[in-house]
Amino acid sequence: MKNKYVDFISDEHFLNCIGNLHNSYQRAKNSVKKEKFYDNKVDTIKLTFDSKFNDIDQESLVGAEILRQIDKSINNFIGTFHEEILGGIKGFEKGNLSGFDIKADDDTLFADIKNKHNTMNSSSAESLFQKLAYYADHYKKSKCYWVQMLATKSFDTPWAGIINGKEYSHSRVFKISGDRFYALLTGQDDAFFGLYRALPIAIDDFLATIESGKDTIEHSALAEIKAGIMKSNRTILDEISYDNYKYYLGFDKL
């Protein structure tokens, strides 16, 4: 029977990858306690403008602010999502703390996946090149890739040049954009586009399988703040302002 979502992985694998990402989101949100959320002080003046000018209710606004604070973790989750998706393609597997993110079953390909092109400094780039060159030297028939899922253009090119002040090159070390890497592993030029088009449908299908209330955040900063307003009768923003600025003149009146 024809797959519902994409041709290069099973529907079951696709939904499992979405489920794993959903769980990661929930754990990240639940890990942000009120004390941690307040660490750098919350700018409730800005949040007031955001709420009014963008017509966003206060609860949704604070939820979005919590997500913004854990954005780096979420970027890592997206990288893992791509690893899991690509690891489900026949002939390839996802790395498990093995020094690579994706490899071919026959050891002809090794790859390290970064979700964004600008997530590495020069020292990190040098370390990555050396790691990929090691795999290329150890597995003589392999090609090794630095994959940039969100690149500034579409490319598949040898990775050579000055890195951290040193000249590096290797005949079988490459850098490649996300679309080209999906095409390389699937044999379908538009595989990445196909994933993009299928995601909203697959996510809706996954969410429909979740029991009502199962994904409710019970231990997050937002839940703690909401518990506080049950006692204080403040608005969410007033509660946050009081918690952060009660020592400022006048804020004790909130």
Side-chain angles (χ1 to χ4, degrees), residues 194-218:
L195 175 78
Y196 165 75
R197 292 300 296 267
L199 268 177
I201 301 167
I203 292 170
D204 285 345
D205 287 350
F206 167 77
L207 292 175
T209 68
I210 297 176
E211 296 176 15
S212 178
K214 182 179 178 181
D215 61 342
T216 300
I217 304 167
E218 297 178 350

Side-chain angles (χ1 to χ4, degrees), residues 23-248:
N23 290 337
S24 295
Y25 263 76
Q26 296 306 115
R27 285 195 300 271
K29 288 187 285 189
N30 287 339
S31 73
V32 181
K33 308 299 184 185
K34 186 170 73 170
E35 182 179 0
K36 182 177 180 181
F37 181 53
Y38 288 167
D39 268 353
N40 296 317
K41 293 298 177 185
V42 180
D43 187 347
T44 50
I45 298 296
K46 177 184 180 298
L47 290 182
T48 299
F49 281 118
D50 289 345
S51 176
K52 294 297 185 181
F53 287 176
N54 296 322
D55 193 24
I56 303 173
D57 68 86
Q58 293 185 11
E59 182 172 339
S60 297
L61 187 69
V62 174
E65 181 66 12
I66 292 170
L67 284 178
R68 187 193 66 76
Q69 287 198 7
I70 60 173
D71 186 61
K72 183 176 181 180
S73 294
I74 289 174
N75 278 325
N76 292 335
F77 301 153
I78 300 300
T80 301
F81 170 76
H82 285 296
E83 293 170 26
E84 292 179 347
I85 289 286
L86 293 162
I89 298 170
K90 185 177 180 180
F92 298 92
E93 64 181 71
K94 177 183 178 294
N96 294 304
L97 302 177
S98 307
F100 56 83
D101 293 329
I102 293 291
K103 72 177 285 288
D105 293 342
D106 61 3
D107 295 332
T108 57
L109 179 146
F110 293 86
D112 192 286
I113 296 175
K114 305 299 182 187
N115 194 43
K116 292 186 176 181
H117 72 280
N118 58 351
T119 53
M120 294 194 302
N121 58 30
S122 59
S123 295
S124 298
E126 182 180 31
S127 177
L128 176 56
F129 189 98
Q130 292 170 344
K131 180 173 72 173
L132 294 176
Y134 167 81
Y135 279 111
D137 288 337
H138 191 72
Y139 298 94
K140 301 301 183 182
K141 295 183 179 180
S142 69
K143 291 184 176 181
C144 301
Y145 293 87
W146 168 24
V147 184
Q148 302 173 22
M149 293 310 308
L150 302 181
T152 55
K153 59 183 178 180
S154 179
F155 60 86
D156 179 358
T157 185
W159 184 9
I162 303 296
I163 307 172
N164 205 23
K166 304 171 188 174
E167 182 76 33
Y168 282 96
S169 67
H170 194 291
S171 61
R172 288 180 285 107
V173 173
F174 302 84
K175 55 183 178 179
I176 188 170
S177 57
D179 63 325
R180 298 279 181 156
F181 193 65
Y182 266 84
L184 179 66
L185 267 58
T186 64
Q188 301 176 19
D189 286 346
D190 63 348
F192 189 76
F193 177 69
L195 175 78
Y196 165 75
R197 292 300 296 267
L199 268 177
I201 301 167
I203 292 170
D204 285 345
D205 287 350
F206 167 77
L207 292 175
T209 68
I210 297 176
E211 296 176 15
S212 178
K214 182 179 178 181
D215 61 342
T216 300
I217 304 167
E218 297 178 350
H219 304 292
S220 70
L222 181 57
E224 292 179 75
I225 293 164
K226 288 169 67 177
I229 67 177
M230 294 292 291
K231 299 176 181 177
S232 67
N233 291 317
R234 301 184 183 102
T235 66
I236 288 177
L237 287 187
D238 278 352
E239 183 76 7
I240 295 172
S241 296
Y242 178 79
D243 287 342
N244 280 264
Y245 303 107
K246 56 185 170 227
Y247 49 81
Y248 269 28

